[in-house]
Amino acid sequence: MTMQVTVLGSTGSIGTNTLDVVARHPDLYRIFALSAHSRVDLMLAQCLQFQPRYAVMTSASAATALREGLQAAGSRVEVLEGEAALEMVASHSDVHAVMAAIVGAAGLRPAMAAAKAGKRLMLANKEALVVGGQLFMDAVADGGATLLPIDSEHSAIFQCLPEDPAVWPQRVDHIILTASGGPFRTREPASLRDVTPQQAGNHPNFAMGRKISIDSATMMNKALEVIEARWLFNLQPEQIKVVIHPQQIVHSMVQLRDASVLAQLGTPDMRVPIACGLAWPERVASGAAPLDFAKLSALTFEEADATRFPGLHLSWQALRAPHGTTTVLNAANEVAVAAFLDGRMRFDQIYQVNAQALEGVQPQAPDSIDALLALDAEVRAYAQGLISELAV
Ligand code: NDP
Ligand code: MG
């Protein structure tokens, strides 16, 4: 049977890699809907190539421009706009699988809609899980969804764990997330004060979206991934460790009770975890080059330097704090990264804003997605206040 797939965030780095894998298997996958925020030209090209039933643009002016472009090209793809349309294409009864690849908390509601509707949910959008936490996992369980991690580290852990989650607590001692260390792994910590967005966005192994590239440079990406792993695999914070592995060949590891360690390896290419999520438990070609072990250079591992990457430890701090604190951390970080990219503050101030937001906002036991998103909005305003008081 052909699987009908909705790709949320199809114009992004994960979105375009997903379409690359889908295009290799026209007999297996068909695109039901695509979504983007504002990149009209790329969305137009994707619509003409994949002929989805729907294309959703969250920006109204972009939706109008896309409609005009499609009409001029004689296409019948229906263009929808706004956030409710995202939830509709994520939960539509004709859809089998949803790739959640919107960046940031903006992706939470549509990912939740797919979870509640019981879809095969391929989750790249780690911020959705960091914000949603237990409520997100409850929606997956209640809806009977199949949650497949796309983040390469979590895909690796998922592939190394036994298939039955019921045995994880007895068998798993801890997990080890690998981190590349980003562009500043060996740079003098004091010199990080004045790095530019261009330098910070220059990841050694991956071409990724702007926000995750900055998160990789601060290692807030790994902090978010620690939180993501806590929910995906139902672990205690102390069962999640991080080690730097600059070559990004070992994508993460699971250490079992007897000290045996299982790892998943592969070339650093996001099409591997994407193909894994699309086909699981089967396997399909991803387009990635296979590893050539005879030509592989040394695989090295080192500790993450807390002076260079102070933000990493905020994840464990947030996980041990009252429920909702990870939402606070994520919201502050989204605002801080945007301010850095806009030239409104320095690179080292991202950590400052995140740490101060954790001190300054105490969540009041949010017990619904609406309450979490209200907290998210409150923290964004608070972080903007902090940023406006900073001296660049
Ligand atoms: P990109 O910035 O490349 O793409 C983001 C996508 O989301 C684009 O399609 C964009 O549309 C859309 N979008 C942006 N803002 C909004 C909004 N407010 N509402 C709806 N749609 C929006 O990001 P990435 O592909 O790099 O990352 C996507 C997610 O996957 C992130 O959560 C990231 O952490 C995660 N991830 C990414 C990896 C990577 O290698 N890139 C690896 C592991 C995880 P438009 O193009 O029109 O702006
Ligand atoms: Mg990752």
Side-chain angles (χ1 to χ4, degrees), residues 2 11 18-19 36 105 139 261 282 290 299 326 339 356 358 381:
T2 314
T11 50
T18 303
L19 293 179
V261 178
E282 301 305 325
L299 300 182
T326 61
Q356 284 183 16
L358 285 183

Side-chain angles (χ1 to χ4, degrees), residues 8 10 31 75 174 177 210 232 263 267 271 301 337 342 345:
L8 303 172
S10 65
I31 297 297
S75 163
H174 64 269
L177 300 176
R210 270 158 56 95
L232 282 173
T267 37
R271 291 177 299 177
F301 299 88
V337 170
D342 289 353
M345 64 177 218

Side-chain angles (χ1 to χ4, degrees), residues 126 151-154 212 221-222 225 228 270:
K126 66 193 83 183
D151 217 345
S152 55
E153 297 76 1
H154 305 73
I212 187 175
N221 181 50
K222 212 50 55 179
E225 289 183 2
E228 183 185 11
M270 286 309 293

